[in-house]
Amino acid sequence: MKRYARLLSTVITAILFMSAVLSGCSAKNGDSSKTSSDGTNAKTVTLKFYTPTDEATNKQLKWPEFIEKFEKDNPGIKVDMAPLVANVNNDEYKKKVDIMIAAGEQIDLVKSSALYELTEWIDNGVIEPLDDYAKKEGVNLSDEYKGVTPYKGKIYAIPEEITPWLVFINKDMLDAAGLPVPPRDWTWEDYREYAKKLTKGDGANKIYGSFMNDWSNFFSVGTQSEIMDDPFFTADNKLNFENPVFRDGLQYRYDLENVDKSQVPYVDMASEKLLYRTQFFSGKVAMVCMGSWMVSDIQLTDKYPHTFKTTFATYPRWSKDSKPNTSQLDGAGFGWSINAKSPNKEAAYKFLTALTSEGLEIGHKKWTPWKKANEDEVIKGIIGTDDSLYDLEALKSVIYDPERVDNVVTRSGPGESEVIDAFTAEAEKYFVGGQSLDDTMKNTIDKANAIVEKAEK
C-alpha cells in the first residue's frame, strides 16, 4: 500500500487539531475585498505557503524581503509565509502538509524533498501540473531551470536548489604529497591511487586519504557515471542489481578500506558515529566525496576550526568510457509545486516562478536552478566575503563546467525505499566482514525481489 495511505490513521486523528490551530487565519479561499475610490470591490488574492525551514533560516535566505518586493510588484497578491517546523525538518513538514491537505486547509504551495514524495502526491491528485500555466506565459520551464523533469509527461515541480557532487580535497595535504589537483577526466582507479598516497601515520594519529559516508550511493560509487537515471531499477521497472557496477562497486569500497587501508573503515565510522564534515575539517582525512552543499561549510571556522585551503575535483568516472564530470544532481525533479486544490492557482504560479528565480537571487544562499542567475554572485553568496580558504578557480571549473553531465533521477521503482534499505543492510555486513560478496549480492537480490513482488500486489 502506498505511503500516503499508511498516513491515513495519523491524518484522521490530527485533522481536528490542525483545523483548530489553522482556522480563523483568513477566508478559506484566501481572497479579501476592499472598496476602491470609485466604490467597486478590488479583489486581493492571499497566498498561503509553509516552509520546511525555520524562521531563522527563512530570514537568512531573505525570503521576507523578497515577499515584500513581490507584493509591491504585484499589488493584487498578498503572500502569507510561515515555517511549519521548529527546525529544518523535511519529514515533519511532509507529515504536517499531508494533514493540512486532508483537512481542506488552504495551502497554495507545497514543497517535496524527494522524488518519491512528489510522485506520491502526483499519483494521489495532490499536485497541479505546471505546463499549461507556463504555456500561457510563453515559457519553456526546461529552458528557464536546471533539474526540471517531467513525470508521466508533465512537469509538476520547480527545484529550490540543485547540488552536483564533487570531491573536496585538503590542498595542504595534496601539496605535501606532491600531487596536482586531479584532472577533469580522472577515474575511480585514479582516486584510489590518490587515496593511497595521501594516507600516512598509524593508530590514533593516522590520516586517511579518503572518507565515504554510509549512504547507499557510496556503496557502489560507479553507478553515478555508469547508470543514468535511477540506478536501482531499469526503465521498465526491473531490478538492476545484476548490473556488474553494483558488485564491482562493493568490492571497490571494501578494497579501499580493508586492502589499501586508505579509507576510514566502515566499522569505525558506524561504531564511532564519525561525521564527514568533522573528519575533513579536523584534518583526519584528505578527501571527501560529497554534494556541493558542503561548500558553504568551509567558511564556518567557528563551527569547524581549520586553516587549510580546500580545492575541488570532479566526481570520478567509473571507466574511461564514461563521460568526465558526471554525477547525480540532488534536488532535481522535485521542489515547489502548486496544490491542486488551491483556489488561487494563477497567482500561485506567478509567485512560484518568482520565488525560484529572483527569490533565490536575493538571498544568494543556495545553488539555484535558475539558468539566468549570476554565477559569480551565487558563489559569493554561498561562500561569504572571505574566500581565502577556497580554491575558487577549481570550484568554478567543476560546478560550472559547460560539459558537465547531470545524472538526474526521474523515476522510482516499486518499493524503492525498502529496496535501498535492503541493499544497505546487506552491504554493511560485507564491509565489516560479516559475509562474503557472493552472499551479499544473493541476499540483496532475493530480498529486493520479495519487496517488489509485495509492492506490486
Side-chain angles (χ1 to χ4, degrees), residues 193-397:
E193 292 304 311
Y194 266 68
K196 290 178 185 177
K197 293 175 181 177
L198 289 166
T199 299
K200 63 181 182 179
D202 51 39
N205 296 319
K206 182 169 184 176
I207 295 174
Y208 287 94
S210 174
F211 181 96
M212 289 186 190
N213 218 344
D214 59 350
W215 302 339
S216 62
N217 49 344
F218 290 122
F219 291 176
S220 293
V221 291
T223 58
Q224 291 205 31
S225 62
E226 293 296 297
I227 306 175
M228 302 305 288
D229 212 309
D230 183 0
F232 297 100
F233 286 85
T234 61
D236 57 352
N237 268 352
K238 303 297 183 184
L239 283 165
N240 203 25
F241 288 114
E242 299 290 349
N243 190 312
V245 74
F246 280 98
R247 180 189 179 90
D248 294 345
L250 290 173
Q251 179 78 63
Y252 177 85
R253 176 164 184 161
Y254 182 90
D255 288 347
L256 279 178
E257 297 173 7
N258 299 288
V259 177
D260 302 343
K261 301 187 185 303
S262 61
Q263 179 164 282
V264 176
Y266 194 93
V267 65
D268 292 354
M269 179 191 59
S271 62
E272 299 174 31
K273 295 180 170 52
L274 302 180
L275 304 175
Y276 64 90
R277 289 181 175 94
T278 53
Q279 287 290 291
F280 182 71
F281 292 122
S282 65
K284 295 291 187 182
V285 301
M287 298 190 295
V288 170
C289 305
M290 195 48 60
S292 56
W293 60 79
M294 185 176 155
V295 171
S296 61
D297 296 326
I298 296 170
Q299 64 178 308
L300 304 178
T301 52
D302 289 341
K303 188 174 183 180
Y304 306 112
H306 69 286
T307 58
F308 64 84
K309 179 174 286 192
T310 299
T311 191
F312 307 88
T314 59
Y315 206 75
R317 51 182 177 161
W318 187 244
S319 71
K320 291 186 177 180
D321 294 329
S322 308
K323 291 183 178 179
N325 203 6
T326 297
S327 77
Q328 66 191 53
L329 189 66
D330 280 0
F334 52 88
W336 287 104
S337 303
I338 299 173
N339 181 2
K341 293 183 179 179
S342 166
N344 311 303
K345 294 186 180 70
E346 294 281 354
Y349 175 80
K350 180 176 286 189
F351 179 71
L352 167 60
T353 52
L355 177 68
T356 52
S357 53
E358 294 95 336
L360 297 177
E361 283 279 274
I362 287 179
H364 286 306
K365 297 293 182 183
K366 291 179 177 288
W367 294 106
T368 174
W370 192 38
K371 292 183 179 181
K372 296 178 182 177
N374 184 306
E375 294 176 352
D376 288 335
E377 291 300 318
V378 170
I379 287 184
K380 286 179 183 178
I382 288 172
I383 72 174
T385 56
D386 183 4
D387 61 9
S388 62
L389 298 180
Y390 294 83
D391 183 349
L392 279 183
E393 290 307 310
L395 176 61
K396 291 178 182 179
S397 69

Side-chain angles (χ1 to χ4, degrees), residues 389-437:
L389 298 180
Y390 294 83
D391 183 349
L392 279 183
E393 290 307 310
L395 176 61
K396 291 178 182 179
S397 69
V398 174
I399 296 291
Y400 294 125
D401 176 3
E403 295 184 46
R404 171 186 161 73
V405 179
D406 295 323
N407 190 346
V408 178
V409 176
T410 65
R411 61 179 191 267
S412 59
E416 177 142 344
S417 62
E418 293 179 64
V419 167
I420 294 173
D421 287 344
F423 172 58
T424 300
E426 294 303 317
E428 287 174 340
K429 297 174 188 176
Y430 171 57
F431 293 144
V432 301
Q435 66 183 11
S436 69
L437 181 56

Side-chain angles (χ1 to χ4, degrees), residues 111-180:
K111 170 91 182 310
S112 52
S113 60
L115 182 63
Y116 74 85
E117 289 184 357
L118 178 68
T119 56
E120 175 188 285
W121 272 340
I122 295 170
D123 291 340
N124 285 283
V126 173
I127 303 298
E128 179 82 1
L130 303 177
D131 306 78
D132 289 344
Y133 301 96
K135 184 177 181 180
K136 186 175 180 180
E137 297 289 330
V139 171
N140 185 327
L141 292 175
S142 296
D143 291 339
E144 295 288 315
Y145 300 93
K146 299 177 184 177
V148 170
T149 57
Y151 178 73
K152 295 182 178 179
K154 293 184 179 295
I155 293 174
Y156 289 86
I158 298 177
E160 178 181 295
E161 181 177 29
I162 52 171
T163 50
W165 287 62
L166 64 164
V167 181
F168 294 72
I169 308 175
N170 184 315
K171 185 69 162 58
D172 290 357
M173 293 183 183
L174 197 67
D175 292 343
L179 294 170

